Amino acid sequence: MTLPPAPSSTAVSNSKQGTNIPSIRLWLQTLLTTRTGPGELRHTVVTLTSYMTISILAFCTVTTLFCFFIAVTVFDDLVRKTAPSQLWQKTKNRGLRMVDWVSILDQVKIQLIHLAEFEQEKRESWPFNQIDSDRFHDLVTAVTEYLNDYIHTNRSQQQQKQKQQ
C-alpha cells in the first residue's frame, strides 16, 4: 500500500501559535516506512482505534449527562415558576412524608449484603491471591452496619412516638 508523495511542505503552519503541526499524510508515511512487520502496524492501528473509540464514548457520555442535567434543571425551573408555591410545597412535603424511607434503606442494606457475599464468593474462586482484596467487602460491610444502626435507631424512635400517642 503506497501513498502519493507528500507535497514539498511537510508541515502545516499554524499562524496563531507559530508552531508546526505535522500533517496526517506525513505521519502515515512515516508510520508505514518505519514499521517493519504487518503485526506492528496492526497493533498500532488497533491501539489508535481503541483510544479513539474510548475518547468518543467518553465525550458522548459527558455530553449526554450534561444535556440531561440541563433538561432536568429547565424542567424543575419551569415547574417552580408555573405551579403556585403553596401547592408545590404541599405536594413536595406530602410526597416525601408518604415514602417509608426506613424500609427503603432496609431493602438497600439487604441488597448490599447480597452484593458483598456475591463478590466475596467470586473472589475466592479466582486462581490467584490478590493483596488487600477484602477492601471492597470491608467497605460494603461498614456501610451495611451503618445502615443497620440508622434503621434500628429510627425504628425505635418511631415506636416510642407511637407509644406516647
Side-chain angles (χ1 to χ4, degrees):
M1 174 172 155
T2 59
L3 294 174
S8 60
S9 151
T10 58
V12 177
S13 173
N14 189 347
S15 60
K16 291 182 182 177
Q17 297 176 351
T19 60
N20 289 331
I21 301 171
S23 67
I24 294 175
R25 180 177 292 203
L26 176 66
W27 177 75
L28 281 173
Q29 280 182 342
T30 307
L31 179 71
L32 290 173
T33 57
T34 58
R35 302 286 183 195
T36 57
E40 292 178 7
L41 179 62
R42 182 173 182 260
H43 174 71
T44 304
V45 170
V46 168
T47 304
L48 180 67
T49 306
S50 64
Y51 281 132
M52 289 176 62
T53 303
I54 290 172
S55 300
I56 289 171
L57 285 174
F59 177 76
C60 290
T61 303
V62 168
T63 304
T64 303
L65 285 174
F66 177 75
C67 291
F68 173 73
F69 286 126
I70 290 283
V72 168
T73 304
V74 167
F75 178 74
D76 183 49
D77 290 345
L78 179 70
V79 169
R80 286 178 191 263
K81 294 294 180 191
T82 58
S85 61
Q86 293 175 347
L87 178 66
W88 175 251
Q89 192 65 31
K90 286 180 184 178
T91 305
K92 190 169 91 172
N93 289 341
R94 183 171 181 247
L96 292 177
R97 270 190 254 137
M98 290 179 61
V99 175
D100 187 12
W101 293 107
V102 176
S103 65
I104 290 174
L105 286 177
D106 194 27
Q107 292 296 321
V108 168
K109 179 190 70 142
I110 291 170
Q111 292 298 322
L112 283 174
I113 289 171
H114 290 303
L115 174 67
E117 291 171 357
F118 172 77
E119 188 269 336
Q120 191 173 24
E121 289 173 7
K122 286 293 183 184
R123 197 172 358 92
E124 288 173 355
S125 68
W126 290 350
F128 54 89
N129 287 335
Q130 190 175 3
I131 300 172
D132 297 329
S133 60
D134 285 339
R135 287 184 182 174
F136 178 74
H137 182 73
D138 293 341
L139 173 70
V140 173
T141 304
V143 170
T144 55
E145 287 174 1
Y146 175 77
L147 286 176
N148 192 26
D149 292 342
Y150 176 79
I151 290 168
H152 178 70
T153 305
N154 200 327
R155 284 201 175 142
S156 64
Q157 288 175 357
Q158 287 178 352
Q159 289 173 355
Q160 286 176 358
K161 285 180 183 178
Q162 288 177 355
K163 286 180 183 179
Q164 289 175 356
Q165 292 175 355

